[in-house]
Amino acid sequence: MKSLLALGGALFAASVALAATPRPPNIVFIFSDDHAYQAISAYGEGRKLLPTPNIDRIAKAGVRFDRCMVTNSICGPSRATILTGKYSHLNGFPNNSNSTFDGSQVTFPKLLQKAGYQTAIVGKWHLVSEPTGFDFWQILPGQGVYYNPPMLKMGERIQVQGYTTDIITDVSLDWLKIRDKSKPFLLMAQHKAPHREWSPALRHLNFDRDRVYPEPPTLFDDYSGRGLAEHDQDMTIAKTMNDRDVKLTPPPGMNPDQRKQWDAYYEPRNAKYRAANLQGKDLVRWRYQRYMHDYLATIKAVDESVGRILDYLEKEGLIDNTIIVYAADQGFYLGEHGWFDKRWIFEESLRTPLLVSWKGVTKPGTVNRDLVSNLDFGETFLDAAGVQIPAEMQGRSVVPILRGRTPADWRKAFYYQYYEWPTPHRVRPHYGVVTDRYKLVRFYGTGEDYWELFDREKDPLELKSVYNDAAYASTKAQLEKDLVRLRQELKVPEQIPPEWFGRRGAGDGTGAPKKQKQKQDKKAE
Ligand code: CA
């Protein structure tokens, strides 16, 4: 009797403890590829390119981060940084052309899995080796394609019919439905869209009814006021954008019925274009308009996907204990400086959208300007789950910021480093320090090193380096100090191994053998 009473007491104590410990939050991480914040209506900036009502639901319920910066602005490196909470020089994935992710590393999904979470990743992975730390994974091999994609499902190659954004959404929702409901979960739904070549869903081909999009003020930038790197890059709409990018050549993988609908939209417009024989600025303007149509149309499907996932979470009553994140792997140029692509420390490329809602924690409609990063994502999820953040991770949890209380010692300076050179896109390797107002940048690794300094308060479009302006001497000295300190704290090596720049001479526009070039193209960007 006594022992039964004791047992009852112990059970009672255990159930009180359970009730007192809230269930760890679920995490839904919706992640797209190359989605510029300029193309999210919640960011409300500039050209009002596209309404994104579903993505905006997350901003309305939570926090819009206005200065979320990536450590290295390209696809694979961003993903490796998110998983490991480490910079490229420590996670071993500095570029897209010859890096392979070491899946034996400590990653936040593995730690969540160990802590009792069910984990899944669906969609674009782009880290070459197979995913580790996931109970379920179904990924696109390499870059993936927009139509009827081959996929790898738990290591098995399968062929899926349909539009890739919709497929990623379907597979994500299917997993949510069959998951072990006794456990908290992490779902990473990772879109290919709106990555190059920006191929829309057939239902969205005429979504904008041939709208004429406003041009950015720097569409015809001449790069004066800046150095060799800006002049010498290969990522302009004028010179680099190709026939496949502008849909004069259709994308791969469509079936005959899909192709028929595709041609019905593009062919009459392409015929008109061919007849016009556009040159110079007129040609750039035409390409820009085609680019905006295609790029934004792919985002329409992403926005619908976000809507479907949010609707499911609401319907299932999961919204009360789920952190919902929308982010991309980096920013992107939508014609600013005449460019597409990313890579630079400059704002459009450096900054990635980050919207986070967490019911009962985030104050609806908050806008935050703290210097946060994709380096912080993993740490944030671990913190929210009550899991200890390993000391080796280099970022910091933004949970206090989500609660509306930025720690007094939050970072005031952020370190950035880009490696991949010379292909694709000929953006010279550079590193630098970013503050709320300034950017100090050093181009390195090509034998033509030089510095630039930008004052974003006076020059928000980053058009003129003031590195040699005596008025900035003390600012420069402070930034140089920050840079030295950050490089030391973050353990950045002085000498960069040559292979970190990528597979030299094997990419676009270098005359590399065709077979090798195609292989490279698959992995590029
Ligand atoms: Ca990307």
Side-chain angles (χ1 to χ4, degrees):
M1 187 68 194
K2 206 174 167 188
S3 65
L4 265 181
L5 271 177
L7 181 66
L11 280 174
F12 177 74
S15 67
V16 166
L18 267 180
T21 315
R23 186 181 160 114
N26 307 306
I27 300 164
V28 173
F29 181 70
I30 309 172
F31 189 63
S32 56
D33 192 322
D34 292 0
H35 192 170
Y37 56 81
Q38 306 94 296
I40 292 179
S41 47
Y43 275 90
E45 294 189 22
R47 288 172 275 166
K48 309 227 173 304
L49 293 169
L50 178 78
T52 50
N54 290 301
I55 295 172
D56 292 7
R57 283 160 70 183
I58 304 172
K60 279 184 189 138
V63 184
R64 182 187 95 193
F65 286 90
D66 277 9
R67 292 212 86 206
C68 178
M69 298 175 283
V70 298
T71 59
N72 178 4
S73 178
I74 39 173
C75 306
S78 174
R79 286 161 168 75
T81 288
I82 290 168
L83 290 172
T84 61
K86 290 178 183 175
Y87 274 83
S88 304
H89 60 267
L90 295 186
N91 68 37
F93 204 105
N95 67 65
N96 281 336
S97 77
N98 65 356
S99 303
T100 298
F101 188 69
D102 171 6
S104 72
Q105 293 182 81
V106 172
T107 64
F108 86 83
K110 280 187 193 172
L111 295 173
L112 288 179
Q113 197 181 37
K114 232 184 248 170
Y117 273 70
Q118 250 203 327
T119 59
I121 185 162
V122 180
K124 187 163 169 184
W125 167 250
H126 204 263
L127 290 171
V128 187
S129 57
E130 289 190 343
T132 53
F134 295 97
D135 299 308
F136 175 77
W137 54 273
Q138 183 169 334
I139 58 167
L140 298 165
Q143 279 291 353
V145 291
Y146 275 100
Y147 281 94
N148 311 324
M151 294 188 91
L152 295 168
K153 182 181 182 180
M154 306 291 287
E156 185 200 347
R157 198 177 170 94
I158 57 169
Q159 183 69 41
V160 190
Q161 298 303 309
Y163 184 64
T164 297
T165 302
D166 301 338
I167 293 164
I168 290 166
T169 314
D170 292 342
V171 175
S172 297
L173 288 172
D174 287 348
W175 182 77
L176 283 178
K177 285 170 196 160
I178 59 138
R179 74 186 195 280
D180 177 351
K181 290 181 180 158
S182 69
K183 292 179 176 178
F185 66 86
L186 162 73
L187 168 67
M188 301 177 81
Q190 308 203 150
H191 291 291
K192 171 184 174 64
H195 191 276
R196 195 181 185 184
E197 76 290 329
W198 324 294
S199 289
L202 298 170
R203 66 181 178 280
H204 292 141
L205 281 177
N206 197 21
F207 83 101
D208 65 355
R209 316 222 170 252
D210 296 306
R211 176 185 168 193
V212 177
Y213 291 95
E215 293 171 2
T218 55
L219 183 61
F220 297 103
D221 195 349
D222 64 3
Y223 314 112
S224 60
R226 284 145 291 165
L228 177 65
E230 291 88 337
H231 287 84
D232 190 43
Q233 42 63 39
D234 180 21
M235 53 182 273
T236 61
I237 293 174
K239 287 188 185 142
T240 316
M241 200 170 262
N242 63 34
D243 282 0
R244 191 163 141 182
D245 293 331
V246 295
K247 315 299 178 293
L248 293 166
T249 305
M254 280 188 285
N255 65 36
D257 181 52
Q258 290 165 336
R259 180 65 191 276
K260 208 170 131 190
Q261 296 178 62
W262 180 273
D263 287 347
Y265 175 81
Y266 282 107
E267 273 314 306
R269 289 167 177 80
N270 289 351
K272 218 168 131 187
Y273 159 78
R274 288 190 182 99
N277 191 27
L278 302 171
Q279 305 292 331
K281 285 190 174 180
D282 291 337
L283 177 59
V284 172
R285 292 201 153 104
W286 181 86
R287 283 185 185 160
Y288 168 74
Q289 293 297 334
R290 176 58 62 88
Y291 171 34
M292 285 304 94
H293 166 273
D294 298 343
Y295 180 90
L296 297 171
T298 68
I299 291 168
K300 259 195 95 64
V302 172
D303 189 64
E304 289 173 359
S305 163
V306 172
R308 288 179 62 201
I309 291 174
L310 293 180
D311 288 350
Y312 175 82
L313 297 173
E314 276 169 10
K315 196 181 84 205
E316 292 295 310
L318 290 165
I319 212 96
D320 288 334
N321 195 30
T322 299
I323 301 174
I324 303 161
V325 178
Y326 186 83
D329 57 352
Q330 15 59 213
F332 211 67
Y333 287 97
L334 304 182
E336 299 90 351
H337 309 290
W339 292 338
F340 64 96
D341 211 70
K342 54 262 181 175
R343 299 163 197 277
W344 301 92
I345 195 173
F346 303 129
E347 213 64 2
E348 293 85 349
S349 150
L350 172 75
R351 271 178 57 192
T352 196
L354 176 62
L355 306 168
V356 186
S357 72
W358 186 2
K359 203 168 170 187
V361 173
T362 53
K363 189 174 157 225
T366 304
V367 173
N368 178 278
R369 292 193 54 79
D370 294 319
L371 307 186
V372 304
S373 169
N374 62 345
L375 188 70
D376 305 323
F377 292 3
E379 291 84 331
T380 301
F381 300 145
L382 293 172
D383 189 17
V387 177
Q388 195 178 354
I389 301 166
E392 66 189 82
M393 289 192 173
Q394 297 182 299
R396 190 167 173 185
S397 164
V398 306
V399 167
I401 299 178
L402 295 175
R403 294 187 188 281
R405 293 187 294 269
T406 302
D409 61 347
W410 192 260
R411 71 169 75 86
K412 302 284 190 293
F414 176 76
Y415 182 73
Y416 177 83
Q417 186 153 10
Y418 170 76
Y419 304 87
E420 193 167 81
W421 163 262
T423 59
H425 296 304
R426 266 189 95 72
V427 172
R428 280 158 197 269
H430 56 285
Y431 61 79
V433 62
V434 180
T435 68
D436 60 345
R437 178 169 173 178
Y438 299 105
K439 282 179 195 172
L440 178 69
V441 190
R442 181 167 182 259
F443 291 90
Y444 73 97
T446 64
E448 296 143 318
D449 297 11
Y450 71 98
W451 293 85
E452 290 185 341
L453 173 64
F454 293 91
D455 178 352
R456 289 181 50 254
E457 194 175 293
K458 292 195 173 153
D459 176 24
L461 301 181
E462 301 170 314
L463 297 173
K464 189 180 182 335
S465 169
V466 290
Y467 186 77
N468 293 317
D469 184 337
Y472 286 90
S474 65
T475 300
K476 204 161 76 179
Q478 180 56 50
L479 290 165
E480 278 163 356
K481 243 192 245 172
D482 288 336
L483 191 60
V484 169
R485 173 182 59 81
L486 284 169
R487 282 173 61 86
Q488 202 167 28
E489 281 175 13
L490 297 168
K491 304 182 175 68
V492 182
E494 276 306 320
Q495 291 300 319
I496 299 301
E499 64 271 19
W500 289 16
F501 297 111
R503 197 179 290 117
R504 280 167 182 270
D508 293 340
T510 58
K514 205 175 174 200
K515 201 174 162 196
Q516 190 188 2
K517 186 173 181 301
Q518 277 173 350
K519 203 174 158 198
Q520 169 72 11
D521 284 347
K522 271 192 200 150
K523 286 180 70 184
E525 297 159 70

